[in-house]
Amino acid sequence: PWSAVGEPRLGIPALRRQLADVLWQLMQDSMPDILKELQYQWEQTQTELTDMGTTFHTRVDQRKFFNALSNRLVSQVATSLSGKGPIRRKKTTARGDTGRFTHTPSTSSSSSLDEEQHNSLGGAARLHEACNEFFHEIQASSLATINKLVDGASVLVSSTGQALEVRGEIVHIAATGIYACVDFIDEKDHTTDVLFDGIDYVADQPDFEPDEVWSDDGNRIYIGRSGGRYDSLRKIPVSRIRTDPSWLSKKMSQFRTDDLACFINVEMFQHIVADFVAEDWIPPCNKLVDTLQLILTETVNSALQDHIQTSNRFPLLEQMLESICHRVTQNLMETARSQVHEHLEMEQEHPYTQDEVLLNAMNKSRFSSLRRDLELQLRLDQEGVVYDTQAIKTILDRVFSKHQRTNWMAEQMELVLSCYGQVATQRVLDRTPQICWQACRTLPKILQEELGCTTDDVLETCLWESPASKKKFHDLSLKLQAIEKAMNCLKSIK
C-alpha cells in the first residue's frame, strides 16, 4: 500500500507542511464565527461602559454632563404632559428587575388590552380621559339635574281631564328625548292608564328580572314584575312630565331657621347648596386631583427610569435627582389641592352669581309648570279644539286648584336651585380641570429651575465614585482594549 505514496509526502518536513495546510484551513473556516463572537462581546462591553458614563476631570465636565442629563429628563416630562412631540414607549425586558423607578405590574389575570393601551398613553391623554369622566360625574350631580328628567328621577305626570298629578319614577327615556316611561311609586297608581298601556301580563317562560325594562319591537316598552308577570308602560310625552320637588321639603326641614317661612330663606338655600357640594362635587374633584398626582408621579418616575442609568456608579446623583423631582411634584400637588379646596369652600360657604343672570333665568322658568298644565288641559297641541267660556273657566279652576295644593316653598326652592345650579355647575366643571392643567404646564418649568440651582459642590459630591465603581470602569476599559486587539489580530491574519 505504501507504493502509492510519492516522494513529496514522505518525511517529517512533508508532514509538517501537510498539517500546516490543514490548520490554516481550519482557521479560515472558524474565523467568521470567532469574529462574530468577539464583535458581540465588544458591543456588550461598550454598552456597559456607555451606561456607566464618562470620567469627569473638571467641574466644567461635571456641569455639562448634569445639564445635558437634566435637559433630557425635563424634556421627556414636558412632552408627556403636553402631548406635543414624540412619545417614548416603555421598553420591555426579560429581566425581573429593571431599576428602582419601575412600577410593579399587576398580577391580576383579568388585565385587558384596554388597560395596556391606557398605561401606554401619555400624561396629557390620561388627564383628558380623567377630565371627561369628571365632566360626566358633575353633570349627573344634584345641582345639575334638579329639574331634569333622568333615569331614576322622581316625577309628576299630568294628564288631560285630571286635577291631580300621578307620582312616579322614570325607568326609561327615549333616545330622541321626546317621551319617557314612568313606573308607579304608590301602589294605588299601578292600574292607572296615565302610566300604563296594560298590566298584569303573564309570561309562559319568563326570561326577565323584576323591574327590568325592555322593548319588543321598538313600539312597546315593558317592565318586569315578580312571579313572571309584566306590565306595558305608556310612552308619555316629556311635556307632561315634571320633576317632583317634594324631596326638597325634607331637605329644607333639615335646615330650618328661626325666621318665618313665608319666603325662601337665604341661609336655608346656602345650607342646601353646601350639602350638595359636599356630597356631589367634592368627591369627583378630589378624585381628579388624585388622578393628576398619579399621572405626574408616574411621568416623573418614567423619565427618571429612562435617563438615570448611573445607579451603580453615581448612586448619590440618582438619589438627588429623585429627591428634587419628587419634592417639586409634591409641592405642586399641595398647591393644586389647596386651590381646589379654596374654590369648593367658597362654593359651599358663599354661593354667588350675578343677580341679573340668576333673576333672568328664574323669570323665564318661574311659571313654566303652570304654562305646561294650561297647554295640556286646553289641548293646545291639537288643532280644531274649541272651548266655550264655561269650559275654559272649569279648566282654569282645575289647574289653579292643583297648583294651590302643591308645596309652594319646595317648588320655589327647586326653581332657585336649578337656575343657580346651571351657573355654579359650569364653574366647577371648568375650575378644577383648569387647576390640573396648570399644574401639568408648570411642572417642567419648576423642575428645570430647581435642577439648575444645583451647586458645583453638590455635583462634585454626587459624582463621587466608589473604589468598586472605579475598578469596574478600569476592568471594562482593559477588556474592551483586549477584545479590539484580538479582533485586529484576526483581521490581519485573514
Side-chain angles (χ1 to χ4, degrees), residues 192-203:
T192 178
D193 58 0
V194 176
L195 305 182
F196 300 98
D197 286 329
I199 62 170
D200 210 24
Y201 296 108
V202 180

Side-chain angles (χ1 to χ4, degrees), residues 329-397:
T329 303
Q330 186 63 33
N331 291 342
L332 192 61
M333 285 307 309
E334 290 178 359
T335 301
R337 287 186 186 277
S338 176
Q339 292 175 343
V340 172
H341 174 74
E342 290 175 358
H343 167 66
L344 294 174
E345 186 177 32
M346 182 175 61
E347 293 287 355
Q348 278 187 297
E349 298 181 359
H350 307 286
Y352 177 79
T353 185
Q354 294 293 331
D355 294 343
E356 185 176 354
V357 174
L358 184 60
L359 291 176
N360 287 340
M362 291 174 59
N363 288 334
K364 291 179 181 179
S365 306
R366 185 178 299 277
F367 301 109
S368 58
S369 177
L370 177 61
R371 179 187 179 91
R372 284 198 303 269
D373 277 340
L374 288 172
E375 290 177 347
L376 175 64
Q377 299 300 331
L378 292 171
R379 300 186 180 182
L380 298 183
D381 58 333
Q382 301 180 18
E383 295 183 2
V385 179
V386 179
Y387 295 97
D388 57 25
T389 304
Q390 184 60 38
I392 295 176
K393 183 178 182 303
T394 301
I395 292 173
L396 290 177
D397 289 341

Side-chain angles (χ1 to χ4, degrees), residues 272-301:
I272 294 176
V273 171
D275 199 38
F276 286 157
V277 171
E279 292 179 359
D280 298 339
W281 285 3
I282 290 180
C285 288
N286 288 339
K287 179 182 176 182
L288 181 59
V289 175
D290 290 340
T291 302
L292 170 66
Q293 182 165 9
L294 180 63
I295 291 173
L296 296 186
T297 302
E298 291 184 350
T299 299
V300 168
N301 285 344

Side-chain angles (χ1 to χ4, degrees), residues 9 41 72 116 143 282 300 490:
R9 294 195 176 191
Q41 293 184 16
R72 291 196 303 270
E116 294 178 0
L143 277 174
I282 290 180
V300 168
L490 287 176

Side-chain angles (χ1 to χ4, degrees), residues 128-146:
H128 273 297
E129 283 189 351
C131 288
N132 288 335
E133 183 177 350
F134 170 80
F135 172 82
H136 292 298
E137 291 180 358
I138 296 298
Q139 286 286 51
S141 64
S142 297
L143 277 174
T145 60
I146 283 180

